[in-house]
Amino acid sequence: QVQLVESGGGLVQVGGSLRLSCAASERTFSRYTVGWFRQAPGKEREFVSAISWSSGNTYYADSVKGRFTISRDNAKNTVYLQMNSLKPEDTAVYYCAADKGTFTVRVATMYTYWGQGTQVTVSS
């Protein structure tokens, strides 16, 4: 069982930046693929970004490409999501998720382990 804890959310003005963190209890977390998803009220959970365990390949939703950057610090068992040029439509609860298998990283149901989420609010 892998425990994931998100942090770094908050209130930010349009055009501002936030860095989200996803800390894992698993010491072999470097071998897990990790994804970020978000869910706004009344909407389905959507893919934001992911990073693979072996090659460090990164993946981004078209809506955040060029603005968000995913990275990981394996020594700290932590994955980060740097969010720049934030827009009101980025407002949502952001979740990190992880799994060891080979799968389609953009699909939420492919991930076994999930955090509790952190709120990001972008004011206009």
Side-chain angles (χ1 to χ4, degrees):
Q1 198 93 22
V2 178
Q3 183 177 358
L4 304 175
V5 179
E6 302 97 333
S7 62
L11 176 64
V12 65
Q13 297 179 168
V14 171
S17 299
L18 286 173
R19 188 180 73 162
L20 305 184
S21 298
C22 176
S25 61
E26 174 59 54
R27 69 178 183 86
T28 63
F29 195 50
S30 63
R31 296 184 63 83
Y32 285 69
T33 292
V34 178
W36 284 96
F37 294 79
R38 66 188 182 187
Q39 187 166 23
K43 295 186 176 181
E44 295 184 349
R45 189 166 298 186
E46 66 173 345
F47 171 79
V48 177
S49 185
I51 185 166
S52 64
W53 71 267
S54 59
S55 62
N57 287 345
T58 58
Y59 308 83
Y60 298 94
D62 289 341
S63 60
V64 306
K65 193 172 298 181
R67 299 188 298 121
F68 292 9
T69 302
I70 191 169
S71 62
R72 67 196 307 166
D73 185 339
N74 290 328
K76 296 183 179 295
N77 291 331
T78 300
V79 170
Y80 303 98
L81 184 68
Q82 178 67 47
M83 306 186 296
N84 298 325
S85 302
L86 284 163
K87 306 174 180 179
E89 52 262 44
D90 295 319
T91 295
V93 176
Y94 283 70
Y95 301 88
C96 65
D99 206 288
K100 292 182 68 177
T102 300
F103 55 91
T104 304
V105 301
R106 295 173 178 266
V107 180
T109 54
M110 296 293 99
Y111 294 81
T112 300
Y113 306 103
W114 289 82
Q116 295 301 304
T118 185
Q119 176 71 47
V120 171
T121 302
V122 184
S123 62
S124 60

